[in-house]
Amino acid sequence: QVQLVESGGGLVQAGGSLRLSCAVSGSAFAINVIGWYRQGPGKARDVVALPVSGGSTNYAESVKGRFTISRDKAKNTVYLQMNSLKPEDTAIYYCNRGAWPYPWGQGTQVTVSS
């Protein structure tokens, strides 16, 4: 019943910024546990940012200091603010809990050009 719809991706120059959105529906609790993943070309899906116990967020080392997750519970939306983007950030970005029964959406493509 949980549905996750990513949006906000696009083409951006290196050093630019994007804010991704994840619209959450079907659960009043999902927003609290949703994080972000990405899958680059020829790579496996990897964690970008995940909530952990205590209200903190764990970020992948490669994005620390550049990416920030936030939540707007009134809008049932989770955001990923991405600053200082690099070509290696190019990937399809997904929002998810990373656990059953949360389905994987189509993701949103982020392409960073040099």
Side-chain angles (χ1 to χ4, degrees), residues 48-108:
V48 175
L50 287 178
V52 296
S53 297
S56 299
T57 300
N58 281 351
Y59 295 92
E61 194 68 28
S62 59
V63 308
K64 282 184 179 178
R66 300 188 298 118
F67 291 11
T68 304
I69 194 170
S70 62
R71 307 168 198 278
D72 188 334
K73 294 184 178 181
K75 295 182 178 180
N76 299 114
T77 302
V78 183
Y79 302 97
L80 182 68
Q81 180 67 46
M82 306 186 296
N83 299 324
S84 301
L85 283 162
K86 305 175 181 179
E88 50 263 44
D89 294 319
T90 295
I92 302 174
Y93 284 72
Y94 303 88
C95 57
N96 208 275
R97 184 180 185 181
W100 177 267
Y102 287 70
W104 294 95
Q106 292 184 327
T108 185

